[in-house]
Amino acid sequence: MNVVELERALRQLRLGGMAAVLETRLRQAQAEPMAPIDLISCLVSDELTRRADRLLDRRRKQAGFRDPDRTLDNFDFSFNPKINRSLVFDLATGTFISKREDALFLGPGGTGKSHLAQAIAQAAILQGYRVLYRETHVLLDELAEAVADGTRKDYMEMVSTVSLLILDDFGMRKLPHTAAEDLLEIVMRRYERCSTLLTSNRPVEDWGKLLGDVAAVSSMLDRLLHHGHVLKCGPRSWRTKAAAAS
C-alpha cells in the first residue's frame, strides 16, 4: 500500500486528521529519524487534535452566538471600572455551571452585558459544556414556531437540558402574551438542573409589568436568584460613546 492508498484508507476509516498529515509525518520520520512508536503517537495526537478542534467549532455553531468574536480578551474593563471583574472571571471558570447555578447581568443598554455573556459562554465551550445562545424574543419566536409545527416538546427538551442557556436582551423588545408562562416553564425546568444566564436592561422591579404577570415573574426570579449571581453593568454605554465620536 503506497502513501496515496494509505491516505485513502485512513479517510475511509474516518481518520481524516491522520490522513491530512501522513505525508508530512513520514518525511519527519525519515529526517529525524523517528522510532515507529513515536510516528504512531504523533499521528494519533494529530487525529485527536483535529477531532477536538472540530468539536469546538461544531459547538460554537450550535450555540448560535450573535457575536462569535466576543471574548474576555477583547472586553475593555476600564470603560466601566466598577464592573465586578472578580465575578466575571469566576463565572468564566465554569464553576457556576458545574454547580447548576444561574446568573443575571443587569444594566443600561450598551454597557457590555451581551459581550460578557457570550464571552463566558465561549469559555464554557472550551471547558466542554454545551451552550445555547438566544436573544429572548428570538427564543420565544422559535418556541411559537415549534408549537405551530407540532415540535414544541422536542424544542423544550433541547432548551431545558443544554448545560448553559443564554437569554440575552430580555426587555429590549415587546414579547408575546405567552412570554411569562413560557419563560417560567423554561426556568422551572432548568432550576437546579442546568445553568441559565439572563441579561436585561430593565431592573427586576419592572419585569412584572413588562410581562404582564407579576406572579409568574416572582416565581421566575425566586428560582433564578436562589443560586444566582448578579452582575451590575454600566453606567457608561459603548453605543453612546460611539455615537458621540462619530
Side-chain angles (χ1 to χ4, degrees):
M1 185 178 287
N2 59 34
V3 174
V4 174
E5 292 171 335
L6 184 54
E7 285 182 357
R8 187 181 302 119
L10 288 171
R11 295 188 188 281
Q12 288 176 345
L13 291 170
R14 300 183 183 277
L15 297 171
M18 287 187 180
V21 298
L22 177 62
E23 189 171 355
T24 300
R25 289 300 189 189
L26 288 173
R27 289 178 180 175
Q28 179 185 1
Q30 292 173 343
E32 292 193 359
M34 182 184 290
I37 187 65
D38 294 330
L39 172 60
I40 294 171
S41 296
C42 286
L43 288 169
V44 170
S45 294
D46 293 332
E47 180 65 34
L48 291 174
T49 298
R50 186 177 190 230
R51 292 191 180 197
D53 290 343
R54 292 179 69 179
L55 176 61
L56 288 176
D57 289 341
R58 185 162 63 250
R59 286 190 169 172
R60 288 186 181 111
K61 290 178 182 177
Q62 290 171 344
F65 294 117
R66 182 180 63 196
D67 308 298
D69 62 333
R70 298 295 192 256
T71 67
L72 291 181
D73 289 338
N74 56 33
F75 184 80
D76 184 4
F77 284 96
S78 66
F79 185 69
N80 277 307
K82 291 186 178 181
I83 286 181
N84 188 341
R85 296 192 193 193
S86 178
L87 175 57
V88 171
F89 284 101
D90 185 60
L91 293 172
T93 67
T95 301
F96 83 109
I97 304 175
S98 66
K99 292 181 177 179
R100 299 174 178 83
E101 298 172 343
D102 303 311
L104 295 179
F105 289 5
L106 305 173
T111 54
K113 299 183 300 298
S114 295
H115 185 141
L116 289 173
Q118 291 176 93
I120 287 168
Q122 291 278 10
I125 289 174
L126 289 174
Q127 294 161 40
Y129 292 108
R130 291 190 305 117
V131 172
L132 180 67
Y133 168 90
R134 290 293 187 272
E135 292 172 284
T136 305
H137 71 279
V138 171
L139 184 140
L140 292 172
D141 286 345
E142 290 179 352
L143 180 56
E145 291 172 4
V147 171
D149 61 26
T151 60
R152 185 184 192 277
K153 182 178 179 181
D154 292 337
Y155 186 82
M156 286 298 292
E157 179 68 16
M158 182 268 292
V159 169
S160 301
T161 57
V162 67
S163 300
L164 176 61
L165 173 66
I166 307 288
L167 290 174
D168 200 8
D169 290 339
F170 174 75
M172 285 287 288
R173 300 195 186 187
K174 185 177 181 180
L175 300 177
H177 69 279
T178 60
E181 179 181 339
D182 292 334
L183 290 173
L184 177 59
E185 180 179 353
I186 291 169
V187 170
M188 289 180 66
R189 282 176 176 240
R190 297 181 59 80
Y191 176 60
E192 295 187 331
R193 295 181 179 88
C194 305
S195 294
T196 304
L197 194 164
L198 187 150
T199 81
S200 178
N201 67 336
R202 300 287 190 94
V204 294
E205 294 81 9
D206 292 350
W207 288 13
K209 182 178 180 181
L210 179 67
L211 291 176
D213 191 329
V214 175
V217 167
S218 178
S219 296
M220 186 168 69
L221 281 171
D222 181 60
R223 288 166 174 81
L224 287 173
L225 294 174
H226 183 205
H227 306 294
H229 305 270
V230 179
L231 180 72
K232 295 182 179 180
C233 300
R236 301 174 67 197
S237 168
W238 283 99
R239 286 191 283 271
T240 301
K241 176 186 177 183
S246 61

